[in-house]
């Protein structure tokens, strides 16, 4: 089992709102009561054979990121995984275990019943293409495609919701599912902030490196008294949407102790990004990141009362009443 992020570790009451947090595989598919592709159904089936069709026609909404209308399937669908790049993008190639941001619509082959779509919610999905996080049809069908692409898939039950189907969405265990997916962005362990450097001219605050090569930035803590109030300053200012208190975010981060400069937690060290709702983390993070723009790198200095106080996580290397210093790259939000 990979090491859990300390951000989700048990902390004193009031510093975290969800006691059950703790795994890096946070569910970021909220926003629909229907069966999104992040449903927990998984299979032990072998990798599918990918074929070109058959696939129903897209009859309206034919542009990238426009809500599509898909015709009813005709004849019998393939027993293999049918995948077609309808619009070829020129962006980054998606790999298994990446996080993707995408708009999508899903319907049933035989009836053309739409059971879920993100376009009406005006909120793309942000999810990891990993076993146990997403249905296998997406995991196998989207890997190797490029961002900016529209991909159509016809997914048999074996690589969808299995023989149990999804009763809440009206999907039977025999239904083949048709998806149109618009791949907007992909993120991996080397993803970094994108934006403009901001002057770090306060000598009493830590200075954070501005490299955007996917490597952990340096954090130089001054030989000075730690601030008693929360600090949340841009190091790199992105141009994305501002993060709201109820949002889920995808981040790259590194944390060190003010007193010693010693690193105690890092996504770079785990080579794995972390996604979470701002309601799930210590107050210093939830308050510090709220209002900051996607694409930014933020220096967050967390005083004990907004961090772990006198009850730090066991084995974390954090002493009681420690001031914590973080570099946080906000890669995406949902």
């Amino acid at each position: 089992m990979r090491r859990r992020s300390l951000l989700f570790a048990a902390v004193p009451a009031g510093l975290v709102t969800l006691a059950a947090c703790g795994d890096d595989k946070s569910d970021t598919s909220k926003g629909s009561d229907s069966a999104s592709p992040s449903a927990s159904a998984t299979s032990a089936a072998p990798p599918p054979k990918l074929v070109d069709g058959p696939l129903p026609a897209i009859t309206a909404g034919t542009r990238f990121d426009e809500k599509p209308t898909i015709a009813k399937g005709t004849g019998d669908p393939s027993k293999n995984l049918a995948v077609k790049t309808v619009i070829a993008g020129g962006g980054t190639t998606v790999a298994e275990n990446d996080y993707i941001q995408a708009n999508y619509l899903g319907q049933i082959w035989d009836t053309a019943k739409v059971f879920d779509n993100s376009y009406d919610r005006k909120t793309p999905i942000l999810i990891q293409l990993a076993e146990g996080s997403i249905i296998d049809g997406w995991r196998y069908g989207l890997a190797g495609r490029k961002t900016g692409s529209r991909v159509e898939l016809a997914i048999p039950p074996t690589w969808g919701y299995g023989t149990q189907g999804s009763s809440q969405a009206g999907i039977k265990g025999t239904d083949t599912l048709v998806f149109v997916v618009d791949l907007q962005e992909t993120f991996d362990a080397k993803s970094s902030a994108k934006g403009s450097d901001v002057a770090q001219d306060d000598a009493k605050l830590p200075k954070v490196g501005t490299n955007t090569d996917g490597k952990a930035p340096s954090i130089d803590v001054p030989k000075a008294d730690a601030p008693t109030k929360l600090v949340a300053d841009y190091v790199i200012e992105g141009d994305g949407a501002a993060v709201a208190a109820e949002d889920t975010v995808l981040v790259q981060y590194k944390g060190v102790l003010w007193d010693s400069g010693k690193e105690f937690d890092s996504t770079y060290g785990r080579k794995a990004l972390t996604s979470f709702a701002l309601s799930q983390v210590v107050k210093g993070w939830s308050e510090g990141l709220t209002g900051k723009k996607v694409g930014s790198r933020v220096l967050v200095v967390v005083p004990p009362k907004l961090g772990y106080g006198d009850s730090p996580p066991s084995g974390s290397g954090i002493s009681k009443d420690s001031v914590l210093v973080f570099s946080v790259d906000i890669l995406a939000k949902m």
Side-chain angles (χ1 to χ4, degrees), residues 216-240:
S218 59
I219 303 178
D220 296 323
V221 181
K223 296 185 182 301
D225 291 338
T228 58
K229 295 183 179 180
L230 177 69
V231 174
D233 293 343
Y234 284 120
V235 175
I236 298 173
E237 185 172 358
D239 59 3

Side-chain angles (χ1 to χ4, degrees), residues 107-179:
Q107 70 181 44
I108 297 171
W109 175 281
D110 288 336
T111 64
K113 175 192 173 185
V114 175
F115 57 83
D116 192 24
N117 90 88
S118 67
Y119 301 92
D120 289 346
R121 294 193 295 273
K122 301 187 185 306
T123 303
I125 195 170
L126 176 63
I127 196 165
Q128 190 177 22
L129 282 184
E131 184 178 1
S133 295
I134 198 166
I135 58 174
D136 286 342
W138 274 49
R139 185 161 66 96
Y140 290 114
L142 297 180
R145 313 290 160 166
K146 292 186 176 182
T147 56
S149 296
R150 166 166 284 191
V151 182
E152 186 176 9
L153 309 97
I155 304 175
T158 300
W159 297 283
Y161 297 101
T163 56
Q164 75 274 15
S166 175
S167 58
Q168 67 176 0
I171 298 172
K172 301 191 297 290
T174 56
D175 284 335
T176 289
L177 310 178
V178 179
F179 285 95

Side-chain angles (χ1 to χ4, degrees), residues 236-249:
I236 298 173
E237 185 172 358
D239 59 3
V243 173
E246 65 273 13
D247 283 339
T248 289
V249 292

Side-chain angles (χ1 to χ4, degrees), residues 11 14-15 76 93 97 100 115-116 125 151 161-162 164 171 179 205 234 258 269 319 327 330 333:
V11 294
L15 296 184
D76 293 329
T93 301
N97 294 317
I100 61 165
F115 57 83
D116 192 24
I125 195 170
V151 182
Y161 297 101
Q164 75 274 15
I171 298 172
F179 285 95
L205 292 179
Y234 284 120
W258 180 284
S319 302
S327 169
I330 307 171
K333 74 159 191 161

Side-chain angles (χ1 to χ4, degrees), residues 202-285:
D202 189 339
K204 294 181 180 180
L205 292 179
K207 187 170 183 179
V208 178
T210 56
N211 59 297
T212 56
D213 55 1
K215 296 180 181 179
S218 59
I219 303 178
D220 296 323
V221 181
K223 296 185 182 301
D225 291 338
T228 58
K229 295 183 179 180
L230 177 69
V231 174
D233 293 343
Y234 284 120
V235 175
I236 298 173
E237 185 172 358
D239 59 3
V243 173
E246 65 273 13
D247 283 339
T248 289
V249 292
L250 178 68
V251 300
Q252 184 90 275
Y253 73 89
K254 173 181 173 180
V256 304
L257 301 173
W258 180 284
D259 287 343
S260 65
K262 181 181 179 181
E263 180 181 311
F264 62 87
D265 195 16
S266 170
T267 55
Y268 302 94
R270 292 192 297 277
K271 295 181 170 39
L273 303 177
T274 292
S275 63
F276 56 82
L278 287 185
S279 60
Q280 292 179 317
V281 288
V282 294
K283 281 187 176 180
W285 268 58

